[in-house]
Amino acid sequence: GKVNWIKWLFTINNFIKTIYLFFRLVNDLEFFKIRNKAIAPFVYSRIVGLQAFLSSGRRNPPISSEIDQILDEENFSKESFVTLFSQAFSLAYEKCGKHISHHPALSLFKAIQCFDPRFIQSNVANHDMMDYGIIEEFHCPTDNLIQEWAIYCGFNEPAGEELLDLDEYWQGKTRLLPELSALALVYIWLPVSGVDVERSFSSYKAILSDRRIALKEESIQMLNFLYFNLGYIGCDLLDCE
């Protein structure tokens, strides 16, 4: 009757919440909202993890012991829930393949994993600079860059479980590996979503107003720096004109 229908809806709601929380726990989607850390070299491994999770869910959707108990108490068929959410995982997996797996930037994100020292030190197979040839500077490297790369690949540094601060890491290598660190400090800060790019275009529109049509490149760079940093001290660049 009506009571059983309400209980059934409650069960569905709890099941969805459990799947959602488990999904976030495994894949940490909040990772892609990080703006104050250099995370570009970690993007590819996160995507691979997401695809693996969705692929596994197609065959065996995760069901917590709590949900399992509710289904037993309410005499609901577990098989029907498994079928329903297997279909949901399959749909998500297909969309992931359509919109992410063939994205033109994916190969670049795969290559810039090389600026994560843990990735390089995890396997000697990751030491071939030519594997990252999509990075223009690695396609025709200078002698100094080749030497610095060899030094970098020879490091054996302790690995922790926390997300490595790549900006701090490469800032600390500027004396030992000046050319490689300068390159790394560009690529590790690549935007990881279109939101960042769209926001930057909106900002540039504000910077390059009708009153600033003859700015030199150096002036644009300085205004850009001020625009994105004055906000931290509570000042609006446009209000200061």
Side-chain angles (χ1 to χ4, degrees):
K2 184 176 181 180
V3 174
N4 288 334
W5 175 248
I6 293 174
K7 288 182 177 179
W8 187 79
L9 288 176
F10 176 78
T11 302
I12 286 287
N13 182 55
N14 276 278
F15 190 52
I16 292 174
K17 286 181 178 178
T18 301
I19 291 295
Y20 175 70
L21 291 174
F22 185 78
F23 181 85
R24 288 189 61 178
L25 179 63
V26 173
N27 296 283
D28 192 14
L29 295 183
E30 293 298 314
F31 163 84
F32 291 99
K33 297 180 181 179
I34 296 175
R35 294 295 179 271
N36 60 347
K37 288 186 178 180
I39 61 172
F42 307 128
V43 166
Y44 184 78
S45 61
R46 293 278 178 161
I47 291 175
V48 170
L50 170 62
Q51 291 174 322
F53 173 73
L54 294 176
S55 179
S56 175
R58 291 185 302 167
R59 300 183 300 273
N60 185 27
I63 299 180
S64 68
S65 57
E66 177 185 1
I67 293 298
D68 207 7
Q69 181 180 350
I70 293 175
L71 293 176
D72 289 338
E73 291 175 354
E74 300 300 328
N75 294 319
F76 288 131
S77 171
K78 182 177 178 180
E79 287 72 20
S80 61
F81 281 87
V82 170
T83 300
L84 175 64
F85 283 93
S86 289
Q87 293 172 352
F89 271 93
S90 295
L91 180 60
Y93 182 80
E94 291 173 5
K95 287 184 176 294
C96 181
K98 179 180 179 180
H99 298 289
I100 298 179
S101 297
H102 302 293
H103 195 283
L106 192 62
S107 58
L108 178 60
F109 280 113
K110 182 178 181 180
I112 62 178
Q113 289 182 109
C114 68
F115 296 117
D116 175 9
R118 294 177 182 175
F119 172 77
I120 290 296
Q121 296 170 27
S122 66
N123 194 325
V124 68
N126 298 333
H127 291 185
D128 189 349
M129 182 185 286
M130 292 299 100
D131 289 341
Y132 316 109
I134 192 173
I135 298 173
E136 183 179 357
E137 294 82 355
F138 285 169
H139 186 67
C140 296
T142 65
D143 291 340
N144 285 339
L145 186 58
I146 292 174
Q147 292 175 3
E148 291 180 14
W149 176 262
I151 296 173
Y152 171 54
C153 291
F155 288 154
N156 185 19
E157 299 161 313
E161 296 182 359
E162 297 182 356
L163 192 68
L164 181 64
D165 188 333
L166 292 177
D167 187 75
E168 180 180 335
Y169 177 87
W170 285 107
Q171 291 288 358
K173 293 290 189 290
T174 53
R175 289 190 177 182
L176 179 62
L177 309 172
E179 192 169 337
L180 184 60
S181 61
L183 186 61
L185 287 167
V186 171
Y187 281 96
I188 64 175
W189 283 105
L190 289 181
V192 301
S193 74
V195 175
D196 298 309
V197 177
E198 292 172 6
R199 185 183 295 118
S200 66
F201 276 114
S202 297
S203 301
Y204 295 145
K205 183 178 180 181
I207 293 172
L208 294 173
S209 65
D210 293 338
R211 290 178 293 171
R212 294 171 171 168
I213 58 175
L215 287 174
K216 295 182 179 179
E217 182 177 349
E218 294 80 2
S219 299
I220 295 175
Q221 290 176 349
M222 288 188 286
L223 283 169
N224 188 46
F225 175 84
L226 290 172
Y227 189 91
F228 283 99
N229 287 279
L230 285 178
Y232 290 108
I233 58 175
C235 179
D236 191 325
L237 177 63
L238 300 181
D239 292 339
C240 297
E241 292 187 290

